Amino acid sequence: MKIIGKIISAAIGAVVWQSAFAADITLRFHQFLPPQATIPSKAIVPWAQKVEKESGGRIKVQHFPSMQLGGKPPELFDQAKDGVADIVWTVLGYTPGRFPKSEVFELPFFSGLAEPASRAFQDYVEKYAMDEFKDVKLIAVHVHGPGLFHSRDPITKLEDLKGMKVRGGSRIVNIMLGQLGATPVGMPVPAVGEALSKGVITATTIPWEVVPALKVQQIVKNHTGFAGDKGLYTQTFGIVMNKAAYEKLPADLKKVIDANSGAETAALFGRAMDAGDKVGLSLAQKAGNKIYVLDAAETKKWRDAAAGVDDAWYKEVAGKGIDGPKLAAEAKALVSKYSGK
């Protein structure tokens, strides 16, 4: 009987230990794109699988694409803050004015390839802008690759943009479009395909990476990029976690999340963007679309026309006690550092 008692006691102990340390923790990951899009398929899913593996199966990441948990894309950051979702991936520019220091990476002709620029952005945020993420657990930030135009009518010179209704994905991008002579129309990226199809807009600013998910290469036949190693613009993104969901994890599982946060996760998402750009470009080429790369002289006209965006941003953030020129210089230095230039 003593032996049986010891066996029972051991079994009870094992159950108690498992319930305390091997509980099945499910983290709900919410985002706005369909599952086949680049970031969901090439970054979020691999990230989630890595977390699950390194947790020994004790963490399960449940992916909710296309706003399946409800709400609209601009609400995602607050969904993570408030616990509607445990983790979200979102565009920081969808909540204008909330991330003034992070906005510096959205200034015109600021960066090129997404992976090095994402490493630079992660480094920058950790040094200068962590206060903008104080309400959440920051997993990583990143940017997309060179931003460009996709249009019904050809854009081969600056004058072609005058009065054109062009979608912009953030406050800074819309200010830039206005400076360039376009009529900016703000909207989250999931709305772009329908807006182009119905003529609500005649062009959109997105990177090549987004083209396949929205079938943009089927809707418009003209694509315009720029000379040099910098895109017209980029947008900033964040992967953030609800603080309470993070804090209630046992210490060893916090380490798993920590190990999958920061520079390498930023690089993972950046690499996915760069790979996605190649796919999007290839689809436009296969469709026989016109792809224009403006020469250095024409690109300089666009740079000069957009220069006022920097000054406007400097003046605006100065009112919030932020030294815009200093932050821009620091951010540019980091982009150069990680780009090897």
Side-chain angles (χ1 to χ4, degrees):
M1 290 297 291
K2 286 183 179 180
I3 294 173
I4 293 173
K6 286 180 180 179
I7 293 172
I8 292 172
S9 295
I12 292 172
V15 170
V16 171
W17 186 89
Q18 286 181 352
S19 65
F21 298 103
D24 187 8
I25 296 165
T26 299
L27 298 176
R28 298 159 300 158
F29 197 130
H30 197 203
Q31 56 87 20
F32 57 89
L33 286 180
Q36 70 272 18
T38 300
I39 287 296
S41 64
K42 305 300 183 184
I44 291 174
V45 168
W47 181 88
Q49 290 173 340
K50 189 166 180 284
V51 166
E52 290 176 346
K53 181 178 179 181
E54 291 177 9
S55 74
R58 291 164 59 201
I59 293 176
K60 175 178 173 56
V61 180
Q62 193 173 5
H63 184 198
F64 293 91
S66 303
M67 301 304 297
Q68 288 178 352
L69 290 180
K72 298 178 180 179
E75 298 168 5
L76 280 164
F77 190 87
D78 279 331
Q79 288 187 354
K81 179 174 75 73
D82 299 336
V84 174
D86 299 305
I87 305 172
V88 305
W89 172 69
T90 188
V91 177
L92 300 182
Y94 284 174
T95 48
R98 191 169 195 165
F99 305 94
K101 296 176 186 175
S102 298
E103 278 183 339
V104 68
F105 271 74
E106 297 184 9
L107 294 175
F109 296 100
F110 204 87
S111 63
L113 288 173
E115 181 178 355
S118 294
R119 287 185 181 275
F121 186 34
Q122 180 71 31
D123 196 341
Y124 169 87
V125 166
E126 290 177 3
K127 289 177 178 175
Y128 304 108
M130 283 301 288
D131 57 310
E132 296 183 348
F133 300 90
K134 65 183 185 300
D135 295 327
V136 294
K137 157 70 175 175
L138 178 63
I139 290 174
V141 292
H142 72 98
V143 298
H144 65 55
L148 67 156
F149 290 103
H150 310 267
S151 57
R152 288 181 172 275
D153 300 319
I155 300 173
T156 60
K157 57 186 183 300
L158 183 59
E159 291 76 12
D160 291 337
L161 204 63
K162 188 172 179 59
M164 189 179 286
K165 291 182 179 178
V166 184
R167 175 264 178 183
S170 75
R171 190 179 70 89
I172 295 295
V173 174
N174 285 332
I175 291 171
M176 177 194 70
L177 290 172
Q179 293 266 1
L180 294 173
T183 299
V185 181
M187 67 179 68
V189 75
V192 166
E194 184 178 1
L196 278 173
S197 296
K198 292 184 175 180
V200 175
I201 54 175
T202 50
T204 185
T205 52
I206 53 172
W208 282 116
E209 173 269 323
V210 181
V211 164
L214 303 179
K215 295 182 170 57
V216 170
Q217 81 281 4
Q218 297 175 17
I219 303 169
V220 302
K221 298 300 178 183
N222 300 282
H223 313 269
T224 303
F226 298 84
D229 62 352
K230 302 287 197 301
L232 174 67
Y233 74 97
T234 191
Q235 285 197 247
T236 55
F237 301 79
I239 308 103
V240 301
M241 183 174 181
N242 176 262
K243 263 192 171 180
Y246 173 76
E247 292 297 340
K248 73 182 182 183
L249 293 174
D252 60 335
L253 294 187
K254 282 182 183 176
K255 287 181 180 179
V256 172
I257 298 297
D258 292 344
N260 289 281
S261 300
E264 293 309 315
T265 298
L268 165 67
F269 279 69
R271 275 196 305 277
M273 286 292 199
D274 287 334
D277 280 347
K278 294 177 182 178
V279 174
L281 172 59
S282 174
L283 286 176
Q285 290 170 331
K286 288 178 181 176
N289 292 0
K290 296 284 187 180
I291 299 167
Y292 305 96
V293 179
L294 304 185
D295 64 24
E298 182 63 29
T299 296
K300 186 179 184 302
K301 291 181 183 177
W302 291 71
R303 283 177 173 268
D304 292 344
V309 178
D310 293 36
D311 294 332
W313 183 77
Y314 296 155
K315 183 177 180 180
E316 183 180 314
V317 297
K320 300 178 181 180
I322 297 171
D323 188 339
K326 179 184 177 182
L327 288 183
E330 296 288 350
K332 286 177 181 177
L334 288 169
V335 170
S336 295
K337 171 187 173 182
Y338 287 102
S339 299
K341 296 175 182 178

